[in-house]
C-alpha cells in the first residue's frame, strides 16, 4: 500500500523537508518535559526524548548537517 503524504515539515532553511501523512497536533513543551541527551556523538540530530509521549525531539539543524555530510541530495518537486 502506498501512503499519501500531505504535509512537509521544512528544515535546514527550507533546503530539506520531511514528508508526513498528517499533523495530529501542535504542542508546546516545557524544558522539564524533555530528557535531554548528555552526549550526542551517535545520532546528533536526536536532541532528547519527550518522556510522556516517548518520542524523539529532533534538532533539525543537526539533521540537515548530517544529511549534507552524507552527501544526500535533496529532491526538489518540480510542480
Amino acid at each position: 500500500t502506498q501512503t499519501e503524504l500531505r504535509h512537509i515539515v521544512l528544515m535546514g532553511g527550507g533546503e530539506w523537508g520531511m514528508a508526513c501523512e498528517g499533523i495530529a497536533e501542535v504542542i508546546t513543551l516545557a524544558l522539564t518535559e524533555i530528557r535531554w541527551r548528555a552526549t550526542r556523538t551517535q545520532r546528533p540530530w536526536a536532541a532528547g526524548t519527550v518522556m510522556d509521549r516517548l518520542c524523539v525531539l529532533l534538532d533539525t539543524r543537526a539533521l540537515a548537517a548530517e544529511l549534507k555530510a552524507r552527501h544526500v541530495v535533496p529532491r526538489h518537486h518540480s510542480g
Side-chain angles (χ1 to χ4, degrees):
T1 64
Q2 190 172 15
T3 303
E4 189 171 332
L5 303 172
R6 297 175 179 245
H7 301 277
I8 299 175
V9 177
L10 296 176
M11 58 186 167
E15 183 177 4
W16 301 95
M18 189 177 318
C20 58
E21 295 173 27
I23 299 172
E25 63 182 309
V26 177
I27 61 172
T28 301
L29 297 171
L31 294 175
T32 56
E33 296 178 272
I34 303 164
R35 184 170 150 210
W36 297 99
R37 294 185 63 207
T39 59
R40 291 170 58 177
T41 52
Q42 289 187 341
R43 293 183 300 255
W45 44 263
T49 304
V50 182
M51 295 308 294
D52 66 337
R53 296 174 183 264
L54 292 177
C55 63
V56 173
L57 180 65
L58 293 178
D59 178 339
T60 58
R61 286 186 181 143
L63 181 56
E66 185 167 328
L67 291 171
K68 278 186 177 182
R70 292 176 183 246
H71 304 289
V72 175
V73 178
R75 285 194 291 169
H76 296 283
H77 179 67
S78 55

